[in-house]
Amino acid sequence: MGNSKLGRFVLIGALLGVAAAMIDRSTRTTVVSTSKKTANELSYYAKNPDTLKQKLMEQKDKFQAAYDQLSGDVSYIKEQVEELKSLTPQVKELVTDTKETFTGSKEEYEEILKDPSKSAAKATT
């Protein structure tokens, strides 16, 4: 019983809202012109269903093309993310190895800079 009252009050509220909006002349003019245009289009498409079918097929094709493009883009991005996931450990290992190499040879570089004659003798041995 409560649902029927709610539905009734919602309908009454909507009708009151429409009535209040129709007080404005520009709103009335817009509603009348839009209604006439819609009625004319409905009448035209009722007489020419092939035209309506053609327009709907064109819209379907546009949406299908957009969907296909989006689907391709999403799969490309997914592939790039997977490639990045697989490369990340390799890059991390390379950076770690490079850091260790430079850290380990720091002492050798310091010796070279301090006494070039020792480093030349060390390099020949």
Side-chain angles (χ1 to χ4, degrees):
M1 184 93 183
N3 287 340
S4 65
K5 286 183 182 179
L6 176 65
R8 195 173 341 156
F9 287 133
V10 168
L11 182 61
I12 291 170
L15 290 174
L16 289 173
V18 168
M22 290 305 214
I23 292 173
D24 183 39
R25 177 179 287 278
S26 65
T27 303
R28 284 194 312 265
T29 305
T30 303
V31 168
V32 169
S33 66
T34 303
S35 298
K36 284 182 182 179
K37 181 180 174 186
T38 303
N40 288 337
E41 286 182 14
L42 287 174
S43 174
Y44 174 78
Y45 289 125
K47 293 176 186 174
N48 302 300
D50 291 337
T51 306
L52 177 62
K53 183 178 178 182
Q54 183 64 30
K55 281 193 172 193
L56 290 175
M57 292 300 286
E58 288 173 4
Q59 288 294 339
K60 182 192 80 77
D61 292 343
K62 286 180 184 177
F63 285 127
Q64 185 66 43
Y67 173 78
D68 291 343
Q69 178 68 35
L70 183 63
S71 178
D73 291 347
V74 167
S75 68
Y76 174 75
I77 291 171
K78 185 178 178 183
E79 289 173 10
Q80 294 300 315
V81 167
E82 291 300 321
E83 185 177 335
L84 184 61
K85 283 181 180 178
S86 68
L87 285 178
T88 301
Q90 295 170 358
V91 171
K92 183 179 177 184
E93 183 179 333
L94 178 66
V95 169
T96 304
D97 290 346
T98 305
K99 179 182 174 187
E100 288 173 359
T101 301
F102 281 112
T103 304
S105 60
K106 180 180 178 184
E107 293 171 3
E108 291 178 26
Y109 291 130
E110 287 176 353
E111 274 184 40
I112 292 171
L113 292 174
K114 287 181 183 177
D115 192 2
S117 61
K118 284 184 180 179
S119 62
K122 193 175 191 179
T124 57
T125 55

